[in-house]
Structures are given as structure tokens and as C-alpha cells.
Amino acid sequence: MATAGKVIKCKAAVAWEPGKPVAIEEVEVAPPQENEVRIKIIATAVCHTDLYHLFESMHKDGFPTVLGHEAAGIVESVGPGVTEFTPGDKVIPVFLHQCGKCRFCLSPKTNQCQKAWDVVRPITMAPLESRITCKGKKILQFAGTSTFSEYTVVNHMSLAKIDPAAPLDKVCLIGCGICTGYGAAVNTAKVEPGSTCAVFGLGAVGLAAVMGCSAAGAKRIIAVDINPDKFEKAKVFGATDFVNPKDHSEPVSKVLAEMTDGGVDYSLECVGNVEVMRSALESCVGAWGVSVIVGWTTLKDTSIQPVQLISGRTWKGSLFGGFKGKVDIPGMVKAYMDKKLKLDEFITHNLKLDQVNDAIELMKTGKCIRTVLTTS
Ligand SMILES: NC(=O)c1ccc[n+]([C@@H]2O[C@H](COP(=O)([O-])OP(=O)(O)OC[C@H]3O[C@@H](n4cnc5c(N)ncnc54)[C@H](O)[C@@H]3O)[C@@H](O)[C@H]2O)c1
Ligand SMILES: [Zn+2]
Ligand SMILES: [Zn+2]
């Protein structure tokens, strides 16, 4: 490619400081270094974790940055040592590295890598040194990806090669929200056929959890959200019952216990709110219920009465749905191509990258499920 080895000047959405809209700027994207790959981003969606970084965590050390981590693109060039990718490959960047060799990568019990991103860090930055600069300043690469840009550079450990026939403006969703929710139900909760489930929060992550519960054979899936506009969509993914906590004077866990003779078998929290995490735990049946925390927050602690677990409940967390991104993403793309996984139904809006602030606003106001931004 004519651009290989050269700095690429292109458009990106730079978040200069917390709490402010992002700015479309011309940035310089350096050529990939050893073990790195430069990608032309074709489509990228907005996930709540982007909003969290910009408007909720307000962690000053995490700026300036280019947000975005749910995307698909085409390899433009590769750095020394990269043998797995060649220019023209269709790829999905992954915010969880996989070196493929460490104790974690070799274990089926986790999708994390010892060389990777440390989940307890307040800023979701991968160990990649940024390759993006703007106006002479280094711009941090959010989640090691930074996909709100026409080009980005990622480590080859954070990249999955996918079917060249896959439509990038659809399969970009596999890069975060869909794997996260679907896997939380299937891999982490391990929902069983005939069971009763409750999903709290019906954004793309929660709806994908509903889809996962349904795929696992749950007979009843209770969809819980304070925005009743989300219920119609939840039906499409297999929800059978709908609860708006605002319609009830008693705690939602009590409402669910009454509906299910003592509590659901599995509950999944897909909001990122510690009170909801506790409600979700309390909504599952004391004797054997499994509750999974999927929503993201580093702002507050949560607490429970020990007896709530002693009685037999299990409380778990799930990062990227327990999927080993690099290995499992191609299979999720195949499942979509084989019509075994829904993606189109999550996309409520299609905009251009320079309309990213509109996409952020749509999510903030609960008007979208996923907005896909394309670069050309
Ligand atoms: N664990 C992971 O790997 C991972 C990956 C991606 C996203 N996330 C997190 O998952 C969460 C959901 O992401 P999303 O993109 O679907 O967000 P979203 O904003 O599209 O959806 C959140 C939903 O929660 C609902 N909600 C808000 N308060 C509620 C309450 N008190 N009770 C019930 N519902 C409530 C909202 O109305 C909305 O429908 C976020 O916290 C995000 O950061 C986690
Ligand atoms: Zn995400
Ligand atoms: Zn590893």
C-alpha cells in the first residue's frame, strides 16, 4: 500500500477533556511498530463504556484520548514480526489482549491475559504506547483500540481476523456489546434449558444477554428496565416478561420473587449501577441462584449481607462475556453469517464518524440501542 511506512493524516474524534463533547480533528497515525497492525476503520459503534469514560468516571489521567472500541476494519499495513495479518484482511479489534502463551491464555477458565490490560485500573488503557498524535500532543488510545478514528494501530494480540465476506457495518458490534451480553448468559452464568432468567438493563449488552438466555433454552426471560421503550425490542430477542421498577412501590427483587415463586435461576446486571447489582443478586433464588455483574463501574463499592451468599447464591462478574476475543470472535462472525446470531436488530441508527456526538447523545438519552458510525 502507498501509505505503508508513512504517517497517515486522517480524521478522528478527540476527547480532549472529561465531560465535554468530542472534537473532530486531523490526527497523525504513526506506522505500526513491532508486533503492531495499522487498520483502516470502516465502521464503529458507540458502547456505554465510551460514555462512562467521557461523562461518568471523569478520570483526568485518561485524556486526551480517542474513544471507541467496538469496530471493524481492514488491515492497511503491519509492523515487523507480524505474520498472522496481511494488508486487506478484514479484522475486529479486541480490547482484551491474548498473547496465547501465558498461564491465563492457556487456561479455559479465563479470557484474560497476564500481559494484558489490568481490569482494576481506573483507566481502560492497554499497554500499547499510543501511535496517535494531534496538534503535537500524544493522544491516549482508549482500551488500546481508539476506533473513533479513520485509522488506528493495535497490537496483534488485540486483533481477530474474520470472514472476508462479513459486512463490517454489522459485525463491528461483535467487538464488544454483543459478545459481552451473549457470553455473560452462555459462558459465565451458564444458563440451563428450562430456567428462568432476569436481565437488568436493556441496552445492547442487556439485549444480547436476553438473546443468550434464549439461545441457552431459558423458558422465561424477565426484562427489567426503567425505560419502557426498550421492552418492544427485548421481545425480539426472546424476553417473555417485562418489569419497569418505576411501576412498583416495592423493591424490584420482591416483584421478581413474587413472579417466580421465590426468585429467578439466573440474573444478569447490564446497567453499571451498584444498587442494581445488589437488586439483581437479591432477585435470584436464595438456594442456588447465579447472578452476573456485567455493567461497568469503578465509582462505588457494593455490599451485601453474607447470608445472601451463604444461602447458596453465586455472584460472578463477566468481562467480554468470557469470550477469548482473538479466538472466539471469528466464530461469532460465522454464527451471524449463518443466521444463528442476530446483529441487525441491535442497530437503530446509522451515522457518519463526524456525527459521533449525535450518537453519544442518542445513547445518553436512551433513544438508541446501537448507533453504527461509518468512516466513508
Ligand atoms: N463487562 C464488560 O465486559 C462490558 C462490556 C461492555 C459494556 N459494559 C457495560 O455494560 C453496561 C451496559 O452497556 P450498554 O452499551 O448496553 O448501555 P446502554 O446505556 O445502552 O444501556 C443501559 C440500559 O440500562 C437501563 N437502566 C438504567 N438504569 C437502570 C435501572 N436502575 N434499572 C434498570 N435498568 C436501568 C437504561 O435505561 C438502558 O436501557 C454499561 O455499564 C457498560 O459500561 C460492560
Ligand atoms: Zn464496550
Ligand atoms: Zn496471555
Side-chain angles (χ1 to χ4, degrees), residues 47-49 95 176 180 200-206 224-227 230 245 270-273 276 294-296 318-320 363 369-370:
C47 164
H48 198 110
T49 312
F95 63 87
C176 183
T180 296
F200 291 71
L202 304 172
V205 173
V224 183
D225 202 297
I226 51 170
N227 178 354
K230 304 285 177 107
C270 305
V271 178
N273 173 319
V276 181
V294 187
W296 184 268
S318 184
L319 188 61
F320 195 56
M363 176 166 271
I369 301 299
R370 277 295 192 257

Side-chain angles (χ1 to χ4, degrees), residues 28 136 145 151 174 183 201 203 209 222 240 246 288 309 324 338-339:
E28 295 88 39
T145 51
Y151 286 86
I174 287 174
I222 307 171
T240 55
K246 288 183 170 169
W288 63 74
L309 297 180
K324 287 187 187 274
D338 292 345
K339 303 201 181 339

Side-chain angles (χ1 to χ4, degrees), residues 219-276:
K219 77 165 187 304
R220 204 168 168 202
I221 304 167
I222 307 171
V224 183
D225 202 297
I226 51 170
N227 178 354
D229 294 349
K230 304 285 177 107
F231 294 152
E232 213 43 53
K233 216 25 150 196
K235 228 181 252 177
V236 174
F237 293 103
T240 55
D241 300 66
F242 307 89
V243 173
N244 180 353
K246 288 183 170 169
D247 291 344
H248 301 270
S249 52
E250 51 189 358
V252 65
S253 55
K254 228 172 156 204
V255 176
L256 263 57
E258 277 158 22
M259 288 169 71
T260 58
D261 188 24
V264 299
D265 299 303
Y266 302 96
S267 63
L268 297 110
E269 195 275 359
C270 305
V271 178
N273 173 319
V274 294
E275 279 85 39
V276 181

Side-chain angles (χ1 to χ4, degrees), residues 189-212:
K190 300 193 193 308
V191 169
E192 289 175 329
S195 59
T196 297
C197 304
V199 176
F200 291 71
L202 304 172
V205 173
L207 292 171
V210 170
M211 177 165 72

